[in-house]
PDB file of all heavy atoms in Angstrom:
ATOM      1  N   GLY A   1       2.778   5.580  60.748  1.00 95.00           N
ATOM      2  CA  GLY A   1       2.175   6.414  61.782  1.00 95.00           C
ATOM      3  C   GLY A   1       3.146   7.045  62.750  1.00 95.00           C
ATOM      4  O   GLY A   1       2.754   7.861  63.572  1.00 95.00           O
ATOM      5  N   VAL A   2       4.422   6.682  62.694  1.00 94.00           N
ATOM      6  CA  VAL A   2       5.395   7.259  63.615  1.00 94.00           C
ATOM      7  C   VAL A   2       5.863   8.610  63.073  1.00 94.00           C
ATOM      8  O   VAL A   2       6.318   8.701  61.942  1.00 94.00           O
ATOM      9  CB  VAL A   2       6.598   6.314  63.841  1.00 94.00           C
ATOM     10  CG1 VAL A   2       7.699   6.997  64.629  1.00 94.00           C
ATOM     11  CG2 VAL A   2       6.141   5.055  64.566  1.00 94.00           C
ATOM     12  N   HIS A   3       5.707   9.652  63.903  1.00 91.00           N
ATOM     13  CA  HIS A   3       6.155  10.999  63.533  1.00 91.00           C
ATOM     14  C   HIS A   3       7.616  11.210  63.887  1.00 91.00           C
ATOM     15  O   HIS A   3       8.405  11.664  63.079  1.00 91.00           O
ATOM     16  CB  HIS A   3       5.346  12.075  64.268  1.00 91.00           C
ATOM     17  CG  HIS A   3       3.997  12.314  63.708  1.00 91.00           C
ATOM     18  ND1 HIS A   3       3.764  12.663  62.407  1.00 91.00           N
ATOM     19  CD2 HIS A   3       2.779  12.269  64.301  1.00 91.00           C
ATOM     20  CE1 HIS A   3       2.470  12.831  62.218  1.00 91.00           C
ATOM     21  NE2 HIS A   3       1.857  12.579  63.352  1.00 91.00           N
ATOM     22  N   SER A   4       7.954  10.930  65.144  1.00 91.00           N
ATOM     23  CA  SER A   4       9.318  11.185  65.604  1.00 91.00           C
ATOM     24  C   SER A   4       9.658  10.255  66.755  1.00 91.00           C
ATOM     25  O   SER A   4       8.776   9.709  67.416  1.00 91.00           O
ATOM     26  CB  SER A   4       9.492  12.643  66.026  1.00 91.00           C
ATOM     27  OG  SER A   4       8.584  12.999  67.047  1.00 91.00           O
ATOM     28  N   VAL A   5      10.968  10.092  66.956  1.00 94.00           N
ATOM     29  CA  VAL A   5      11.485   9.172  67.974  1.00 94.00           C
ATOM     30  C   VAL A   5      12.664   9.847  68.650  1.00 94.00           C
ATOM     31  O   VAL A   5      13.428  10.570  68.019  1.00 94.00           O
ATOM     32  CB  VAL A   5      11.952   7.839  67.330  1.00 94.00           C
ATOM     33  CG1 VAL A   5      12.456   6.868  68.379  1.00 94.00           C
ATOM     34  CG2 VAL A   5      10.838   7.206  66.524  1.00 94.00           C
ATOM     35  N   THR A   6      12.823   9.587  69.949  1.00 94.00           N
ATOM     36  CA  THR A   6      13.968  10.112  70.670  1.00 94.00           C
ATOM     37  C   THR A   6      14.431   9.103  71.714  1.00 94.00           C
ATOM     38  O   THR A   6      13.642   8.281  72.187  1.00 94.00           O
ATOM     39  CB  THR A   6      13.644  11.468  71.345  1.00 94.00           C
ATOM     40  OG1 THR A   6      14.828  12.057  71.847  1.00 94.00           O
ATOM     41  CG2 THR A   6      12.635  11.317  72.468  1.00 94.00           C
ATOM     42  N   VAL A   7      15.714   9.170  72.038  1.00 94.00           N
ATOM     43  CA  VAL A   7      16.269   8.404  73.143  1.00 94.00           C
ATOM     44  C   VAL A   7      16.783   9.428  74.152  1.00 94.00           C
ATOM     45  O   VAL A   7      17.504  10.360  73.794  1.00 94.00           O
ATOM     46  CB  VAL A   7      17.424   7.477  72.694  1.00 94.00           C
ATOM     47  CG1 VAL A   7      18.079   6.805  73.896  1.00 94.00           C
ATOM     48  CG2 VAL A   7      16.907   6.429  71.715  1.00 94.00           C
ATOM     49  N   VAL A   8      16.377   9.238  75.408  1.00 94.00           N
ATOM     50  CA  VAL A   8      16.706  10.167  76.480  1.00 94.00           C
ATOM     51  C   VAL A   8      17.491   9.424  77.554  1.00 94.00           C
ATOM     52  O   VAL A   8      17.143   8.297  77.920  1.00 94.00           O
ATOM     53  CB  VAL A   8      15.411  10.760  77.085  1.00 94.00           C
ATOM     54  CG1 VAL A   8      15.708  11.732  78.195  1.00 94.00           C
ATOM     55  CG2 VAL A   8      14.563  11.421  76.011  1.00 94.00           C
ATOM     56  N   SER A   9      18.542  10.056  78.055  1.00 91.00           N
ATOM     57  CA  SER A   9      19.339   9.448  79.125  1.00 91.00           C
ATOM     58  C   SER A   9      18.585   9.529  80.451  1.00 91.00           C
ATOM     59  O   SER A   9      17.580  10.238  80.569  1.00 91.00           O
ATOM     60  CB  SER A   9      20.688  10.152  79.250  1.00 91.00           C
ATOM     61  OG  SER A   9      20.507  11.481  79.703  1.00 91.00           O
ATOM     62  N   SER A  10      19.089   8.851  81.452  1.00 88.00           N
ATOM     63  CA  SER A  10      18.434   8.833  82.763  1.00 88.00           C
ATOM     64  C   SER A  10      18.376  10.211  83.406  1.00 88.00           C
ATOM     65  O   SER A  10      17.514  10.472  84.237  1.00 88.00           O
ATOM     66  CB  SER A  10      19.152   7.854  83.693  1.00 88.00           C
ATOM     67  OG  SER A  10      20.498   8.261  83.867  1.00 88.00           O
ATOM     68  N   ASP A  11      19.283  11.122  82.999  1.00 88.00           N
ATOM     69  CA  ASP A  11      19.247  12.475  83.554  1.00 88.00           C
ATOM     70  C   ASP A  11      18.462  13.442  82.671  1.00 88.00           C
ATOM     71  O   ASP A  11      18.517  14.652  82.850  1.00 88.00           O
ATOM     72  CB  ASP A  11      20.659  13.006  83.825  1.00 88.00           C
ATOM     73  CG  ASP A  11      21.573  12.930  82.626  1.00 88.00           C
ATOM     74  OD1 ASP A  11      21.139  12.471  81.563  1.00 88.00           O
ATOM     75  OD2 ASP A  11      22.742  13.334  82.751  1.00 88.00           O
ATOM     76  N   GLY A  12      17.702  12.912  81.704  1.00 88.00           N
ATOM     77  CA  GLY A  12      16.792  13.725  80.915  1.00 88.00           C
ATOM     78  C   GLY A  12      17.382  14.378  79.678  1.00 88.00           C
ATOM     79  O   GLY A  12      16.713  15.170  79.026  1.00 88.00           O
ATOM     80  N   LEU A  13      18.612  14.050  79.336  1.00 89.00           N
ATOM     81  CA  LEU A  13      19.233  14.661  78.162  1.00 89.00           C
ATOM     82  C   LEU A  13      18.990  13.806  76.921  1.00 89.00           C
ATOM     83  O   LEU A  13      19.099  12.582  76.969  1.00 89.00           O
ATOM     84  CB  LEU A  13      20.735  14.842  78.375  1.00 89.00           C
ATOM     85  CG  LEU A  13      21.116  15.787  79.502  1.00 89.00           C
ATOM     86  CD1 LEU A  13      22.628  15.787  79.697  1.00 89.00           C
ATOM     87  CD2 LEU A  13      20.618  17.193  79.226  1.00 89.00           C
ATOM     88  N   MET A  14      18.688  14.463  75.806  1.00 91.00           N
ATOM     89  CA  MET A  14      18.456  13.760  74.559  1.00 91.00           C
ATOM     90  C   MET A  14      19.768  13.197  74.030  1.00 91.00           C
ATOM     91  O   MET A  14      20.755  13.907  73.905  1.00 91.00           O
ATOM     92  CB  MET A  14      17.839  14.720  73.534  1.00 91.00           C
ATOM     93  CG  MET A  14      17.480  14.061  72.238  1.00 91.00           C
ATOM     94  SD  MET A  14      16.458  15.067  71.135  1.00 91.00           S
ATOM     95  CE  MET A  14      17.249  16.649  71.172  1.00 91.00           C
ATOM     96  N   LEU A  15      19.770  11.895  73.724  1.00 91.00           N
ATOM     97  CA  LEU A  15      20.950  11.227  73.183  1.00 91.00           C
ATOM     98  C   LEU A  15      20.836  10.999  71.684  1.00 91.00           C
ATOM     99  O   LEU A  15      21.831  11.065  70.962  1.00 91.00           O
ATOM    100  CB  LEU A  15      21.157   9.872  73.875  1.00 91.00           C
ATOM    101  CG  LEU A  15      21.398   9.888  75.368  1.00 91.00           C
ATOM    102  CD1 LEU A  15      21.494   8.462  75.903  1.00 91.00           C
ATOM    103  CD2 LEU A  15      22.644  10.673  75.701  1.00 91.00           C
ATOM    104  N   LEU A  16      19.647  10.688  71.226  1.00 90.00           N
ATOM    105  CA  LEU A  16      19.385  10.419  69.812  1.00 90.00           C
ATOM    106  C   LEU A  16      18.030  10.997  69.450  1.00 90.00           C
ATOM    107  O   LEU A  16      17.130  11.037  70.290  1.00 90.00           O
ATOM    108  CB  LEU A  16      19.309   8.915  69.541  1.00 90.00           C
ATOM    109  CG  LEU A  16      20.567   8.091  69.518  1.00 90.00           C
ATOM    110  CD1 LEU A  16      20.214   6.613  69.498  1.00 90.00           C
ATOM    111  CD2 LEU A  16      21.402   8.438  68.311  1.00 90.00           C
ATOM    112  N   SER A  17      17.913  11.388  68.203  1.00 89.00           N
ATOM    113  CA  SER A  17      16.645  11.909  67.742  1.00 89.00           C
ATOM    114  C   SER A  17      16.515  11.668  66.254  1.00 89.00           C
ATOM    115  O   SER A  17      17.485  11.771  65.513  1.00 89.00           O
ATOM    116  CB  SER A  17      16.568  13.403  68.037  1.00 89.00           C
ATOM    117  OG  SER A  17      15.434  13.955  67.426  1.00 89.00           O
ATOM    118  N   SER A  18      15.316  11.351  65.825  1.00 81.00           N
ATOM    119  CA  SER A  18      15.038  11.198  64.406  1.00 81.00           C
ATOM    120  C   SER A  18      13.655  11.764  64.164  1.00 81.00           C
ATOM    121  O   SER A  18      12.683  11.293  64.738  1.00 81.00           O
ATOM    122  CB  SER A  18      15.092   9.733  64.009  1.00 81.00           C
ATOM    123  OG  SER A  18      14.855   9.604  62.641  1.00 81.00           O
ATOM    124  N   ASP A  19      13.574  12.767  63.347  1.00 63.00           N
ATOM    125  CA  ASP A  19      12.317  13.454  63.125  1.00 63.00           C
ATOM    126  C   ASP A  19      12.064  13.599  61.633  1.00 63.00           C
ATOM    127  O   ASP A  19      12.510  14.555  61.018  1.00 63.00           O
ATOM    128  CB  ASP A  19      12.358  14.819  63.795  1.00 63.00           C
ATOM    129  CG  ASP A  19      10.990  15.447  63.902  1.00 63.00           C
ATOM    130  OD1 ASP A  19      10.058  14.960  63.241  1.00 63.00           O
ATOM    131  OD2 ASP A  19      10.849  16.413  64.651  1.00 63.00           O
ATOM    132  N   PRO A  20      11.341  12.649  61.029  1.00 47.00           N
ATOM    133  CA  PRO A  20      11.151  12.674  59.584  1.00 47.00           C
ATOM    134  C   PRO A  20      10.319  13.854  59.114  1.00 47.00           C
ATOM    135  O   PRO A  20      10.398  14.245  57.972  1.00 47.00           O
ATOM    136  CB  PRO A  20      10.429  11.354  59.289  1.00 47.00           C
ATOM    137  CG  PRO A  20       9.680  11.075  60.534  1.00 47.00           C
ATOM    138  CD  PRO A  20      10.580  11.569  61.646  1.00 47.00           C
ATOM    139  N   GLY A  21       9.522  14.438  59.970  1.00 44.00           N
ATOM    140  CA  GLY A  21       8.700  15.572  59.586  1.00 44.00           C
ATOM    141  C   GLY A  21       9.524  16.754  59.131  1.00 44.00           C
ATOM    142  O   GLY A  21       9.065  17.590  58.363  1.00 44.00           O
ATOM    143  N   HIS A  22      10.767  16.844  59.559  1.00 44.00           N
ATOM    144  CA  HIS A  22      11.626  17.948  59.167  1.00 44.00           C
ATOM    145  C   HIS A  22      12.405  17.628  57.905  1.00 44.00           C
ATOM    146  O   HIS A  22      13.082  18.477  57.374  1.00 44.00           O
ATOM    147  CB  HIS A  22      12.593  18.292  60.302  1.00 44.00           C
ATOM    148  CG  HIS A  22      11.885  18.786  61.521  1.00 44.00           C
ATOM    149  ND1 HIS A  22      11.193  19.960  61.538  1.00 44.00           N
ATOM    150  CD2 HIS A  22      11.737  18.245  62.751  1.00 44.00           C
ATOM    151  CE1 HIS A  22      10.650  20.144  62.744  1.00 44.00           C
ATOM    152  NE2 HIS A  22      10.963  19.109  63.483  1.00 44.00           N
ATOM    153  N   HIS A  23      12.326  16.393  57.434  1.00 38.00           N
ATOM    154  CA  HIS A  23      13.098  15.992  56.267  1.00 38.00           C
ATOM    155  C   HIS A  23      12.212  15.752  55.049  1.00 38.00           C
ATOM    156  O   HIS A  23      12.694  15.646  53.958  1.00 38.00           O
ATOM    157  CB  HIS A  23      13.898  14.714  56.566  1.00 38.00           C
ATOM    158  CG  HIS A  23      14.801  14.878  57.734  1.00 38.00           C
ATOM    159  ND1 HIS A  23      15.839  15.757  57.757  1.00 38.00           N
ATOM    160  CD2 HIS A  23      14.791  14.281  58.948  1.00 38.00           C
ATOM    161  CE1 HIS A  23      16.458  15.695  58.932  1.00 38.00           C
ATOM    162  NE2 HIS A  23      15.829  14.803  59.659  1.00 38.00           N
ATOM    163  N   ARG A  24      10.915  15.632  55.258  1.00 37.00           N
ATOM    164  CA  ARG A  24      10.000  15.381  54.154  1.00 37.00           C
ATOM    165  C   ARG A  24       9.266  16.661  53.804  1.00 37.00           C
ATOM    166  O   ARG A  24       8.966  17.476  54.658  1.00 37.00           O
ATOM    167  CB  ARG A  24       8.957  14.325  54.551  1.00 37.00           C
ATOM    168  CG  ARG A  24       9.545  12.968  54.753  1.00 37.00           C
ATOM    169  CD  ARG A  24       8.449  11.975  55.036  1.00 37.00           C
ATOM    170  NE  ARG A  24       9.051  10.723  55.455  1.00 37.00           N
ATOM    171  CZ  ARG A  24       8.471   9.872  56.261  1.00 37.00           C
ATOM    172  NH1 ARG A  24       7.279  10.094  56.737  1.00 37.00           N
ATOM    173  NH2 ARG A  24       9.074   8.760  56.601  1.00 37.00           N
ATOM    174  N   ALA A  25       8.944  16.800  52.537  1.00 33.00           N
ATOM    175  CA  ALA A  25       8.168  17.960  52.101  1.00 33.00           C
ATOM    176  C   ALA A  25       6.697  17.654  52.357  1.00 33.00           C
ATOM    177  O   ALA A  25       6.049  16.958  51.603  1.00 33.00           O
ATOM    178  CB  ALA A  25       8.413  18.229  50.633  1.00 33.00           C
ATOM    179  N   LYS A  26       6.182  18.174  53.457  1.00 37.00           N
ATOM    180  CA  LYS A  26       4.771  18.007  53.743  1.00 37.00           C
ATOM    181  C   LYS A  26       4.300  19.223  54.512  1.00 37.00           C
ATOM    182  O   LYS A  26       5.080  19.933  55.134  1.00 37.00           O
ATOM    183  CB  LYS A  26       4.496  16.725  54.527  1.00 37.00           C
ATOM    184  CG  LYS A  26       5.047  16.703  55.930  1.00 37.00           C
ATOM    185  CD  LYS A  26       4.666  15.404  56.595  1.00 37.00           C
ATOM    186  CE  LYS A  26       5.010  15.453  58.079  1.00 37.00           C
ATOM    187  NZ  LYS A  26       4.651  14.278  58.779  1.00 37.00           N
ATOM    188  N   GLU A  27       3.024  19.431  54.457  1.00 41.00           N
ATOM    189  CA  GLU A  27       2.462  20.599  55.122  1.00 41.00           C
ATOM    190  C   GLU A  27       2.465  20.370  56.633  1.00 41.00           C
ATOM    191  O   GLU A  27       2.031  19.332  57.120  1.00 41.00           O
ATOM    192  CB  GLU A  27       1.034  20.798  54.614  1.00 41.00           C
ATOM    193  CG  GLU A  27       0.407  22.075  55.085  1.00 41.00           C
ATOM    194  CD  GLU A  27      -0.949  22.275  54.443  1.00 41.00           C
ATOM    195  OE1 GLU A  27      -1.080  22.006  53.239  1.00 41.00           O
ATOM    196  OE2 GLU A  27      -1.858  22.677  55.166  1.00 41.00           O
ATOM    197  N   ALA A  28       2.960  21.346  57.356  1.00 43.00           N
ATOM    198  CA  ALA A  28       3.012  21.230  58.815  1.00 43.00           C
ATOM    199  C   ALA A  28       1.606  21.313  59.376  1.00 43.00           C
ATOM    200  O   ALA A  28       0.779  22.085  58.907  1.00 43.00           O
ATOM    201  CB  ALA A  28       3.886  22.321  59.409  1.00 43.00           C
ATOM    202  N   GLY A  29       1.363  20.538  60.385  1.00 47.00           N
ATOM    203  CA  GLY A  29       0.063  20.552  61.029  1.00 47.00           C
ATOM    204  C   GLY A  29       0.225  20.335  62.509  1.00 47.00           C
ATOM    205  O   GLY A  29       1.322  20.076  63.001  1.00 47.00           O
ATOM    206  N   PRO A  30      -0.869  20.427  63.256  1.00 45.00           N
ATOM    207  CA  PRO A  30      -0.772  20.316  64.712  1.00 45.00           C
ATOM    208  C   PRO A  30      -0.308  18.954  65.189  1.00 45.00           C
ATOM    209  O   PRO A  30       0.183  18.824  66.292  1.00 45.00           O
ATOM    210  CB  PRO A  30      -2.199  20.602  65.192  1.00 45.00           C
ATOM    211  CG  PRO A  30      -3.069  20.358  63.998  1.00 45.00           C
ATOM    212  CD  PRO A  30      -2.225  20.646  62.794  1.00 45.00           C
ATOM    213  N   SER A  31      -0.400  17.907  64.356  1.00 45.00           N
ATOM    214  CA  SER A  31       0.005  16.569  64.803  1.00 45.00           C
ATOM    215  C   SER A  31       1.414  16.203  64.338  1.00 45.00           C
ATOM    216  O   SER A  31       1.813  15.065  64.420  1.00 45.00           O
ATOM    217  CB  SER A  31      -0.999  15.532  64.291  1.00 45.00           C
ATOM    218  OG  SER A  31      -0.972  15.493  62.888  1.00 45.00           O
ATOM    219  N   ASP A  32       2.176  17.184  63.819  1.00 49.00           N
ATOM    220  CA  ASP A  32       3.513  16.886  63.304  1.00 49.00           C
ATOM    221  C   ASP A  32       4.554  16.733  64.391  1.00 49.00           C
ATOM    222  O   ASP A  32       5.698  16.462  64.116  1.00 49.00           O
ATOM    223  CB  ASP A  32       3.967  17.969  62.314  1.00 49.00           C
ATOM    224  CG  ASP A  32       3.223  17.843  61.001  1.00 49.00           C
ATOM    225  OD1 ASP A  32       2.725  16.748  60.709  1.00 49.00           O
ATOM    226  OD2 ASP A  32       3.138  18.850  60.296  1.00 49.00           O
ATOM    227  N   GLY A  33       4.213  16.927  65.616  1.00 47.00           N
ATOM    228  CA  GLY A  33       5.154  16.746  66.706  1.00 47.00           C
ATOM    229  C   GLY A  33       4.954  17.803  67.755  1.00 47.00           C
ATOM    230  O   GLY A  33       4.338  18.838  67.494  1.00 47.00           O
ATOM    231  N   PRO A  34       5.457  17.561  68.943  1.00 47.00           N
ATOM    232  CA  PRO A  34       5.311  18.558  70.001  1.00 47.00           C
ATOM    233  C   PRO A  34       6.091  19.812  69.620  1.00 47.00           C
ATOM    234  O   PRO A  34       7.312  19.803  69.625  1.00 47.00           O
ATOM    235  CB  PRO A  34       5.868  17.875  71.247  1.00 47.00           C
ATOM    236  CG  PRO A  34       6.658  16.724  70.731  1.00 47.00           C
ATOM    237  CD  PRO A  34       6.157  16.388  69.361  1.00 47.00           C
ATOM    238  N   LYS A  35       5.374  20.845  69.227  1.00 49.00           N
ATOM    239  CA  LYS A  35       5.954  22.119  68.791  1.00 49.00           C
ATOM    240  C   LYS A  35       6.953  21.921  67.656  1.00 49.00           C
ATOM    241  O   LYS A  35       7.766  22.783  67.398  1.00 49.00           O
ATOM    242  CB  LYS A  35       6.635  22.847  69.957  1.00 49.00           C
ATOM    243  CG  LYS A  35       5.737  23.119  71.128  1.00 49.00           C
ATOM    244  CD  LYS A  35       4.834  24.265  70.859  1.00 49.00           C
ATOM    245  CE  LYS A  35       4.088  24.605  72.135  1.00 49.00           C
ATOM    246  NZ  LYS A  35       2.985  25.438  71.980  1.00 49.00           N
ATOM    247  N   GLY A  36       6.938  20.746  67.016  1.00 54.00           N
ATOM    248  CA  GLY A  36       7.845  20.477  65.914  1.00 54.00           C
ATOM    249  C   GLY A  36       9.279  20.254  66.333  1.00 54.00           C
ATOM    250  O   GLY A  36      10.167  20.232  65.518  1.00 54.00           O
ATOM    251  N   SER A  37       9.521  20.058  67.599  1.00 70.00           N
ATOM    252  CA  SER A  37      10.891  19.974  68.095  1.00 70.00           C
ATOM    253  C   SER A  37      11.184  18.630  68.738  1.00 70.00           C
ATOM    254  O   SER A  37      10.425  18.161  69.584  1.00 70.00           O
ATOM    255  CB  SER A  37      11.099  21.091  69.123  1.00 70.00           C
ATOM    256  OG  SER A  37      12.289  20.898  69.833  1.00 70.00           O
ATOM    257  N   SER A  38      12.312  18.057  68.350  1.00 78.00           N
ATOM    258  CA  SER A  38      12.756  16.815  68.992  1.00 78.00           C
ATOM    259  C   SER A  38      13.077  17.056  70.462  1.00 78.00           C
ATOM    260  O   SER A  38      12.883  16.177  71.294  1.00 78.00           O
ATOM    261  CB  SER A  38      13.991  16.274  68.282  1.00 78.00           C
ATOM    262  OG  SER A  38      13.685  15.977  66.952  1.00 78.00           O
ATOM    263  N   ALA A  39      13.574  18.248  70.775  1.00 82.00           N
ATOM    264  CA  ALA A  39      13.882  18.575  72.169  1.00 82.00           C
ATOM    265  C   ALA A  39      12.613  18.575  73.015  1.00 82.00           C
ATOM    266  O   ALA A  39      12.630  18.144  74.178  1.00 82.00           O
ATOM    267  CB  ALA A  39      14.590  19.918  72.265  1.00 82.00           C
ATOM    268  N   ASP A  40      11.492  19.034  72.446  1.00 89.00           N
ATOM    269  CA  ASP A  40      10.230  18.998  73.175  1.00 89.00           C
ATOM    270  C   ASP A  40       9.791  17.562  73.439  1.00 89.00           C
ATOM    271  O   ASP A  40       9.333  17.241  74.539  1.00 89.00           O
ATOM    272  CB  ASP A  40       9.136  19.737  72.409  1.00 89.00           C
ATOM    273  CG  ASP A  40       9.335  21.241  72.394  1.00 89.00           C
ATOM    274  OD1 ASP A  40      10.099  21.761  73.230  1.00 89.00           O
ATOM    275  OD2 ASP A  40       8.718  21.898  71.536  1.00 89.00           O
ATOM    276  N   LEU A  41       9.941  16.702  72.452  1.00 92.00           N
ATOM    277  CA  LEU A  41       9.591  15.293  72.648  1.00 92.00           C
ATOM    278  C   LEU A  41      10.473  14.684  73.731  1.00 92.00           C
ATOM    279  O   LEU A  41       9.987  13.947  74.596  1.00 92.00           O
ATOM    280  CB  LEU A  41       9.717  14.494  71.349  1.00 92.00           C
ATOM    281  CG  LEU A  41       9.396  12.997  71.450  1.00 92.00           C
ATOM    282  CD1 LEU A  41       7.969  12.764  71.951  1.00 92.00           C
ATOM    283  CD2 LEU A  41       9.609  12.310  70.107  1.00 92.00           C
ATOM    284  N   ALA A  42      11.749  14.998  73.730  1.00 92.00           N
ATOM    285  CA  ALA A  42      12.663  14.472  74.757  1.00 92.00           C
ATOM    286  C   ALA A  42      12.239  14.932  76.145  1.00 92.00           C
ATOM    287  O   ALA A  42      12.275  14.153  77.110  1.00 92.00           O
ATOM    288  CB  ALA A  42      14.098  14.900  74.461  1.00 92.00           C
ATOM    289  N   THR A  43      11.814  16.180  76.258  1.00 93.00           N
ATOM    290  CA  THR A  43      11.355  16.706  77.551  1.00 93.00           C
ATOM    291  C   THR A  43      10.105  15.973  78.019  1.00 93.00           C
ATOM    292  O   THR A  43       9.988  15.596  79.193  1.00 93.00           O
ATOM    293  CB  THR A  43      11.072  18.215  77.431  1.00 93.00           C
ATOM    294  OG1 THR A  43      12.273  18.873  77.029  1.00 93.00           O
ATOM    295  CG2 THR A  43      10.579  18.798  78.740  1.00 93.00           C
ATOM    296  N   ILE A  44       9.180  15.758  77.101  1.00 94.00           N
ATOM    297  CA  ILE A  44       7.942  15.044  77.428  1.00 94.00           C
ATOM    298  C   ILE A  44       8.242  13.609  77.861  1.00 94.00           C
ATOM    299  O   ILE A  44       7.725  13.119  78.873  1.00 94.00           O
ATOM    300  CB  ILE A  44       6.979  15.069  76.224  1.00 94.00           C
ATOM    301  CG1 ILE A  44       6.476  16.492  75.998  1.00 94.00           C
ATOM    302  CG2 ILE A  44       5.822  14.095  76.402  1.00 94.00           C
ATOM    303  CD1 ILE A  44       5.842  16.728  74.635  1.00 94.00           C
ATOM    304  N   VAL A  45       9.102  12.929  77.112  1.00 96.00           N
ATOM    305  CA  VAL A  45       9.466  11.547  77.421  1.00 96.00           C
ATOM    306  C   VAL A  45      10.119  11.456  78.796  1.00 96.00           C
ATOM    307  O   VAL A  45       9.794  10.582  79.601  1.00 96.00           O
ATOM    308  CB  VAL A  45      10.377  10.969  76.318  1.00 96.00           C
ATOM    309  CG1 VAL A  45      11.023   9.660  76.745  1.00 96.00           C
ATOM    310  CG2 VAL A  45       9.588  10.793  75.036  1.00 96.00           C
ATOM    311  N   SER A  46      11.026  12.375  79.074  1.00 95.00           N
ATOM    312  CA  SER A  46      11.699  12.390  80.374  1.00 95.00           C
ATOM    313  C   SER A  46      10.702  12.600  81.508  1.00 95.00           C
ATOM    314  O   SER A  46      10.758  11.921  82.537  1.00 95.00           O
ATOM    315  CB  SER A  46      12.770  13.484  80.385  1.00 95.00           C
ATOM    316  OG  SER A  46      13.443  13.498  81.610  1.00 95.00           O
ATOM    317  N   GLY A  47       9.776  13.523  81.314  1.00 96.00           N
ATOM    318  CA  GLY A  47       8.764  13.788  82.340  1.00 96.00           C
ATOM    319  C   GLY A  47       7.841  12.607  82.564  1.00 96.00           C
ATOM    320  O   GLY A  47       7.544  12.241  83.705  1.00 96.00           O
ATOM    321  N   ILE A  48       7.371  12.002  81.484  1.00 96.00           N
ATOM    322  CA  ILE A  48       6.504  10.827  81.599  1.00 96.00           C
ATOM    323  C   ILE A  48       7.251   9.695  82.294  1.00 96.00           C
ATOM    324  O   ILE A  48       6.709   9.018  83.173  1.00 96.00           O
ATOM    325  CB  ILE A  48       5.980  10.376  80.218  1.00 96.00           C
ATOM    326  CG1 ILE A  48       4.976  11.389  79.676  1.00 96.00           C
ATOM    327  CG2 ILE A  48       5.362   8.980  80.291  1.00 96.00           C
ATOM    328  CD1 ILE A  48       4.548  11.140  78.234  1.00 96.00           C
TER     329      ILE A  48
END
């Protein structure tokens, strides 16, 4: 059930990212990740 994972530093910068949705052959859908971008997930995580 995990789509993507990111590690964000205390100042909001992405340090690590792993996004299997971009490496597997599957049809893209609305639940494949925030806009399909690891950077978007990092921004969301930092804000939360």
Side-chain angles (χ1 to χ4, degrees):
V2 172
H3 283 303
S4 58
V5 181
T6 190
V7 174
V8 180
S9 67
S10 61
D11 53 0
L13 297 175
M14 184 168 46
L15 299 176
L16 285 169
S17 172
S18 181
D19 194 346
H22 296 294
H23 303 296
R24 293 184 190 151
K26 67 178 189 179
E27 188 175 318
S31 64
D32 287 337
K35 303 283 187 195
S37 168
S38 298
D40 289 342
L41 179 59
T43 301
I44 292 164
V45 167
S46 181
I48 290 172

